[in-house]
Amino acid sequence: MSFGTMDVYLNEIENNLQSILYNKEEDQENETWKMYMERKNIVLEFLHSDLSLHLLKRHHKRIELLKKCSYYIEILPKHLALGDQNHLMLPTTMFQLVDPWRFQRMKKLGTVQTKIQLLLLTDLLEQLEQGREELVHFLETYDMVTFLARWDLVKQKLSNLSELMDNFLAMLVPGRLYVKHRLVSDVGATKIPHIRLVLSTKMPVMFDRKESVAHEDWVSLKWFITSQQCQPEQYELRFKLLEPRTQQERIQCGIMPVTSNMCEIRNLLSDRSYRFTVKRAETYTLVYEQWRDTITLETKPYPDEGMESTMCEP
């Protein structure tokens, strides 16, 4: 073989080797890019579904609603679930068997548990929002090499946020109260029933701001219960004149028990502002109720009769 032929042969081998190496590097780059896109899509899917801004805003509204709710203790037989309407038919003797002093202790525990639950929900939601911001930061600032190098960190962050979300969703529903001591007093030969205590919620009472109107010396008020039909309940309505001008005007206030979802208050002063507040009447089983709705209405001035008579003259 001549030297010229050998050079051509060696050049072909070198070119083939370079081509093989180039193709191998290209394949590796393609595999790396494919891995990067797959893992990036995992994060994007998590952000768009489990941790979307829309979902977090809904949870914010849910927490704000829960802060306005009323919380009660319910005594249920162990075989009935919370919300089962059959428990309304239980004999009242079950409640009478519960030791009043021990029940008051459980009410205090229910109050503490409710407050802690609302605080934890707020804290968990803040952690979820912060975690979302961190994931978005990873996607926006990490290049492919950095993202893949820190994938274990990102994956752990996804796992932690998923667990946080599970805890948050589980805590949205009031839970069972742990009964350390017997609630039922010694009833002798009577068989002690198997009972359990649970926390239940009632949606907040809110004024209907379209239907609540003021006239010259009286107001017509109407309210409703959020997300449900108004059930027959006892309510407490308060009213107060704002900025009284005389000592006599300071008595323009009061508390009224109401058994429906509407009320009229008469004998008010004209052209003045009044504040009205409505809430459920307190019951024996109430453990927590921090919020109550308030509305301010201004009564209308009486027509100026002198001016009207002047305008009517020919």
Side-chain angles (χ1 to χ4, degrees), residues 42-179:
I42 291 174
V43 179
L44 287 172
E45 177 64 24
F46 185 78
L47 290 175
H48 291 156
S49 58
D50 296 12
L51 213 59
S52 68
L53 285 175
H54 175 70
L55 189 62
L56 292 178
K57 288 179 181 178
R58 281 179 53 192
H59 289 324
H60 253 299
K61 291 181 179 179
R62 178 66 177 172
I63 290 178
E64 291 306 311
L65 181 62
L66 287 174
K67 290 179 179 179
K68 297 176 181 179
C69 286
S70 305
Y71 293 82
Y72 298 83
I73 282 184
E74 284 200 46
I75 300 178
L76 298 177
K78 287 191 175 181
H79 65 277
L80 283 183
L82 178 62
D84 193 330
Q85 296 301 311
N86 290 329
H87 78 273
L88 298 176
M89 304 301 293
L90 293 174
T92 55
T93 52
M94 173 170 287
F95 222 112
Q96 295 171 355
L97 291 175
V98 174
D99 184 280
W101 183 79
R102 294 173 184 171
F103 185 72
Q104 289 300 321
R105 288 182 59 186
M106 291 308 301
K107 283 180 63 176
K108 292 180 180 179
L109 178 61
T111 302
V112 172
Q113 181 170 314
T114 302
K115 290 180 178 179
I116 292 175
Q117 187 168 344
L118 292 174
L119 288 173
L120 284 176
L121 281 171
T122 303
D123 181 66
L124 287 174
L125 187 57
E126 289 177 356
Q127 292 183 51
L128 289 170
E129 290 173 333
Q130 182 180 352
R132 189 184 195 282
E133 291 176 359
E134 291 176 1
L135 289 178
V136 172
H137 176 75
F138 292 161
L139 293 176
E140 292 178 345
T141 59
Y142 286 4
D143 57 20
M144 181 181 69
V145 176
T146 307
F147 185 87
L148 292 176
R150 300 189 180 182
W151 173 245
D152 287 341
L153 174 65
V154 176
K155 188 168 61 173
Q156 185 62 47
K157 174 64 69 175
L158 291 174
S159 177
N160 292 342
L161 288 173
S162 181
E163 185 178 353
L164 272 178
M165 180 60 77
D166 290 341
N167 293 337
F168 176 83
L169 294 176
M171 201 171 291
L172 281 175
V173 181
R176 179 176 177 177
L177 280 173
Y178 175 66
V179 184

Side-chain angles (χ1 to χ4, degrees), residues 234-246:
Q234 298 282 338
Y235 301 98
E236 180 184 283
L237 181 66
R238 295 172 179 255
F239 71 97
K240 181 180 181 180
L241 172 67
L242 300 179
E243 300 180 3
R245 299 166 187 169
T246 65

Side-chain angles (χ1 to χ4, degrees), residues 195-212:
I195 64 174
R196 61 193 177 98
L197 295 183
V198 293
L199 285 173
S200 65
T201 60
K202 288 186 178 181
M203 292 293 106
V205 182
M206 303 183 71
F207 280 111
D208 187 329
R209 279 158 170 76
K210 291 183 179 180
E211 297 292 331
S212 298

